């Protein structure tokens, strides 16, 4: 039986490679899920008969479009926009938009694939999708970003809808961009369709806690992982990478839970502050001034800026990589283990390479995969949609309590599934299997579509 199911997953992987050439991030994401599914296929022969895994690996729809816009000097630029509507078995497609020069179809597909399982893990009625553009918002004026967002939405709007496809932020897309995107959608459609985008401003349909949700959720998830080990974040030294939405609020919640976050980074390097990151300064530098991370060290005497280099050289007990995919490789993992790191929680999507994950698992380091650990953002987006649909508005405390409860449930479900499928403590397997089963059961119920 074992050989058979492995042969099935191998054949599926070969097929994915052949049909999706030159998309290494998508291949990597599929490989990781397939590696977890042999145990499922061994128990459920119907998944092989009905080609359930193959269907879930194939996006329902892939949209690529031209985005022309003019900069402040009148120069014309052409970018490429994407929306991959991956799976709608559990609800409307739901997932963020990424604006970064590295964006291509393979990256959007990897993110949409991950999103499908992540959204299933939240237990909310949302399918999986992702989008973005190879636009670099860095050093662009507000008016340039607005013109880009308007041009982008002028094509994207026809694919979105609160019951069809609901977009949100990701790297390079924060509150400012969501505002411009929503404004253009409203203008074109002549509809105040609040539920079509999440991460809106709290004054016009946004939910309290959505800004903080992914980072807070990752910290709650770390807390749950430590609890299983009879421990807590209290007194722990924590290394965080990134200095964007996820990183800033992971640091904030770690500090509220008694931990000490000592690092932050961006693509220029990292800062280390042994006294604990001063959040007020970090928010001023990154959220208000949109400056480089070195500006933090210029203002905080206890901090030091390291140009380039690896933030994972800084000794810590808990690591929360929160910048981008494949930012933590096996070399960094070995360094973390050598320095006594006990828990790694992915705040970003797939920030650890497969080799790094292997190093952690072999060393007995508890590892929380992104599709579970960073699901707090999308879960709170679903809470935003719920408030929009009922024309209601929840308090910060109520929404945060819901977020904490959802993160606890996601952790419990991954933990229990890992045990049930013979891999206690393996949250990668637990998350993949629990997420897959929810999607697969709905896919079957809908017939061959
Ligand atoms: P932001 O744009 O707010 O911040 C990203 C941060 O990571 C910036 O500090 C950026 O530095 C750094 N970064 C990005 N790419 C690279 C790179 N290639 N090398 C080094 N540093 C890099 O994005 P978010 O915080 O929203 O997203 C971070 C991660 O979390 C992504 O993987 C995203 O998919 C994931 N995520 C986000 C969610 C959300 O709600 N926002 C939800 C779930 C997952 P610089 O400015 O120099 O580029």
């Amino acid at each position: 039986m074992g050989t058979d199911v492995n042969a099935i997953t191998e054949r599926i992987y070969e097929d994915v490679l052949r049909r999706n050439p030159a998309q290494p991030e998508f291949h990597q994401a599929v490989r990781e899920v397939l590696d977890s599914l042999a145990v499922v296929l061994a128990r459920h022969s119907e998944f092989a008969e009905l080609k359930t895994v193959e269907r879930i690996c194939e996006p329902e729809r892939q949209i690529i479009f031209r985005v022309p816009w003019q900069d402040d000097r009148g120069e014309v630029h052409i970018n490429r926009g994407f929306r991959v509507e991956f799976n709608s078995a559990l609800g409307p497609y739901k997932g963020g938009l990424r604006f970064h020069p590295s964006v291509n179809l393979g990256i959007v597909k990897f993110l949409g694939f991950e999103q499908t399982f992540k959204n299933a893990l939240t237990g909310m009625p949302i399918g999986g999708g992702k989008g973005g553009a190879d636009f670099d918002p860095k050093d662009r004026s507000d008016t340039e970003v607005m013109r880009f967002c308007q041009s982008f939405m002028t094509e994207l709007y026809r694919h979105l809808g609160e019951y069809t496809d609901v977009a949100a932020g990701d790297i390079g897309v924060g509150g400012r961009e969501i505002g411009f995107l929503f404004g253009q959608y409203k203008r074109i459609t002549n509809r105040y369709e609040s539920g079509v985008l999440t991460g809106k401003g709290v004054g016009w349909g946004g939910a309290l806690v959505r800004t903080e949700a992914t980072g807070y959720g990752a910290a709650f998830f770390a807390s749950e992982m430590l609890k299983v080990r009879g421990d807590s974040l209290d007194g722990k030294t924590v290394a965080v990478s990134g200095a964007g939405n996820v990183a800033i609020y992971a640091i904030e919640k770690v500090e509220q839970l008694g931990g000490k976050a000592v690092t932050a980074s961006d693509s220029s390097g990292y800062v280390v502050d042994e006294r604990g990151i001063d959040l007020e300064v970090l928010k001023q530098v990154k959220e208000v001034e949109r400056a480089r991370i070195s500006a933090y060290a210029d203002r905080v005497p206890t901090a030091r800026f390291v140009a380039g280099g690896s933030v994972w050289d800084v000794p810590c007990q808990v690591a929360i990589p929160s910048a981008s995919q494949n930012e933590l490789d096996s070399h960094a993992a070995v360094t973390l283990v050598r320095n006594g790191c006990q828990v790694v929680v992915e705040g970003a999507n797939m920030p650890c390479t497969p080799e790094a994950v292997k190093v952690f698992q072999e060393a007995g380091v508890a590892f929380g995969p992104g599709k579970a650990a960073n699901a707090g953002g999308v879960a709170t987006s679903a809470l935003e949609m719920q408030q929009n649909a009922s024309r209601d508005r929840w308090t910060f405390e109520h929404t945060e309590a819901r977020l904490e409860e959802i993160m606890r449930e996601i952790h419990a479900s991954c933990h229990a599934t890992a045990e049930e499928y013979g891999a206690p403590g393996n949250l990668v397997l637990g998350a993949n299997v629990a997420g897959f089963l929810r999607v697969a059961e709905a896919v079957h119920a809908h017939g061959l579509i």
Side-chain angles (χ1 to χ4, degrees):
M1 193 64 166
T3 337
D4 281 349
V5 291
N6 286 331
I8 293 170
T9 57
E10 277 317 303
R11 182 186 47 70
I12 295 171
Y13 185 63
E14 289 305 318
D15 235 34
V16 166
L17 288 182
R18 185 178 54 75
R19 303 180 69 203
N20 305 276
Q23 297 180 355
E25 293 84 3
F26 180 52
H27 302 161
Q28 184 182 330
V30 171
R31 174 87 262 176
E32 188 215 270
V33 170
L34 288 177
D35 284 347
S36 300
L37 291 188
V39 286
V40 179
L41 294 174
R43 278 196 204 179
H44 295 272
S45 59
E46 72 276 18
F47 291 146
E49 283 153 24
L50 296 170
K51 300 220 158 107
T52 313
V53 183
E54 290 91 323
R55 281 153 72 187
I56 291 175
C57 288
E58 179 70 17
E60 291 178 14
R61 194 172 295 112
Q62 307 179 48
I63 301 150
I64 305 180
F65 52 98
R66 180 175 64 210
V67 190
W69 60 284
Q70 256 178 319
D71 67 21
D72 287 344
R73 293 173 304 139
E75 192 183 332
V76 170
H77 299 264
I78 307 294
N79 283 100
R80 187 170 286 179
F82 302 89
R83 186 71 181 167
V84 173
E85 298 182 332
F86 223 105
N87 194 294
S88 61
L90 292 174
Y93 309 106
K94 175 86 193 86
L97 299 169
R98 175 177 293 191
F99 291 168
H100 192 272
S102 64
V103 167
N104 58 39
L105 183 61
I107 288 189
V108 178
K109 276 166 73 177
F110 123 63
L111 290 165
F113 183 74
E114 291 275 299
Q115 194 81 45
T116 300
F117 301 104
K118 179 189 311 193
N119 293 3
L121 283 172
T122 67
M124 319 288 275
I126 41 179
K130 200 82 187 188
D134 58 356
F135 168 70
D136 190 355
K138 222 169 279 158
D139 300 325
R140 290 292 175 193
S141 69
D142 285 353
T143 50
E144 288 175 321
V145 170
M146 182 179 72
R147 280 197 294 278
F148 179 81
C149 288
Q150 290 177 339
S151 180
F152 183 80
M153 187 52 93
T154 299
E155 171 59 32
L156 186 66
Y157 89 94
R158 69 188 83 246
H159 307 290
L160 301 186
E162 69 174 300
Y163 295 105
T164 314
D165 186 348
V166 178
D170 189 76
I171 290 178
V173 179
R176 173 182 61 168
E177 292 75 15
I178 293 293
F180 296 147
L181 292 163
F182 185 76
Q184 186 72 352
Y185 183 86
K186 181 167 72 70
R187 188 176 188 200
I188 296 174
T189 60
N190 193 29
R191 279 163 65 84
Y192 205 108
E193 194 182 326
S194 299
V196 74
L197 279 166
T198 57
K200 298 181 291 296
V202 289
W204 46 276
L208 290 166
V209 191
R210 175 59 190 92
T211 303
E212 295 85 355
T214 308
Y216 277 22
F220 286 139
F221 199 87
S223 226
E224 291 302 306
M225 289 171 68
L226 282 155
K227 210 185 283 171
V228 168
R229 303 186 147 205
D231 206 344
S232 78
L233 270 173
D234 196 27
K236 294 281 181 305
T237 299
V238 181
V240 177
S241 65
N245 176 260
V246 179
I248 287 175
Y249 294 97
I251 292 171
E252 184 162 288
K253 186 50 72 181
V254 161
E255 294 186 354
Q256 287 172 9
L257 294 174
K260 188 170 66 162
V262 293
T263 63
S265 71
D266 65 15
S267 51
S268 67
Y270 68 90
V271 290
V272 51
D273 189 345
E274 307 292 355
R275 299 251 295 261
I277 292 289
D278 182 328
L279 265 171
E280 217 171 293
V281 178
L282 184 64
K283 286 182 184 176
Q284 174 66 24
V285 167
K286 296 308 279 190
E287 291 187 329
V288 181
E289 297 169 21
R290 299 177 190 273
R292 303 278 72 205
I293 194 71
S294 55
Y296 176 94
D298 295 341
R299 286 174 215 182
V300 179
T302 49
R304 162 168 74 82
F305 170 66
V306 182
S310 169
V311 65
W312 310 119
D313 290 341
V314 178
C316 63
Q317 291 150 303
V318 177
I320 310 185
S322 305
S324 198
Q325 66 272 3
N326 292 329
E327 54 158 306
L328 196 165
D329 62 12
S330 60
H331 180 76
V334 168
T335 307
L336 280 166
V337 171
R338 195 185 321 118
N339 286 337
C341 182
Q342 301 152 14
V343 174
V344 177
V345 176
E346 292 190 319
N349 285 315
M350 212 168 75
C352 300
T353 65
E355 296 77 23
V357 177
K358 194 152 174 268
V359 170
F360 294 138
Q361 287 172 335
E362 284 173 2
V365 170
F367 178 75
K371 61 171 77 72
N374 70 33
V378 74
T380 308
S381 281
L383 300 179
E384 182 173 331
M385 291 161 71
Q386 201 174 324
Q387 290 168 75
N388 294 151
S390 59
R391 304 278 189 268
D392 200 0
R393 194 170 152 71
W394 302 353
T395 62
F396 193 96
E397 292 69 27
H398 174 68
T399 318
E400 190 185 9
R402 283 287 289 125
L403 168 65
E404 189 172 2
E405 188 187 352
I406 291 167
M407 295 314 297
R408 213 179 300 125
E409 285 168 3
I410 294 173
H411 177 269
S413 149
C414 297
H415 191 76
T417 307
E419 286 210 345
E420 188 190 333
Y421 280 83
N426 184 341
L427 296 180
V428 173
L429 185 132
N432 287 335
V433 171
F436 173 82
L437 287 173
R438 280 187 197 157
V439 177
E441 278 155 19
V443 163
H444 279 195
H446 297 162
L448 187 56
I449 56 168

